[in-house]
Amino acid sequence: TTPCDPDPIQAPYLESFEGAGFSCWTVNGTPGLNYNWLQNSGATPNFATGPNGASTGTEYAYTEASNGANGDSARLESPAISLTGVVNSQLSFAYHMYGADIDTLYIQINDGTGFVTVDTINGPQHTANGDDWLTKHNENYNIFKYVKYNYELL
């Protein structure tokens, strides 16, 4: 078996992006452009954007918003996660949004018919690279049999 078996993966599911790259996650950016989700440790290459390091551990997923242009998008999609038998499901993630070119992070769930936006985070949320990461908690998605989470940064 692979880390992605079975499909869907039974909750609870935790991802730290440590060492294994994006593993079971799907990464889709604007074709032909250098705007996509990347894995990194330490500070981002552009001193005017991003965090100085991971929220926990050493590695994290990020996009370099200054590489994008108006209308570009970068998607990071989780594997399918089964919520069968889960009473109170929750999505929690840490985020760091520092830089002049940050627009909107869309948090979406695929309910089996397509992606539905359940939350957004708009604009820069930090004033410096060294600011602490923030944590977002979304609860009560157990109305779905399974979900795929999609993070799209425009």
Side-chain angles (χ1 to χ4, degrees), residues 25-110:
W25 291 65
T26 303
V27 176
N28 293 309
T30 301
L33 298 176
N34 189 25
Y35 183 58
N36 214 336
W37 287 90
L38 306 168
Q39 185 176 1
N40 195 43
S41 62
T44 58
N46 184 336
F47 71 92
T49 66
N52 285 335
S55 170
T56 59
T58 59
E59 298 184 62
Y60 59 95
Y62 81 103
T63 63
E64 182 58 60
S66 58
N67 287 345
N70 199 12
D72 288 350
S73 68
R75 289 179 175 238
L76 179 61
E77 185 178 314
S78 78
I81 303 167
S82 172
L83 299 179
T84 302
V86 175
V87 177
N88 293 309
S89 63
Q90 180 178 1
L91 167 66
S92 297
F93 62 95
Y95 63 98
H96 195 287
M97 296 171 68
Y98 168 62
D101 295 315
I102 291 178
D103 191 1
T104 304
L105 176 65
Y106 292 88
I107 299 92
Q108 300 176 321
I109 292 180
N110 187 331

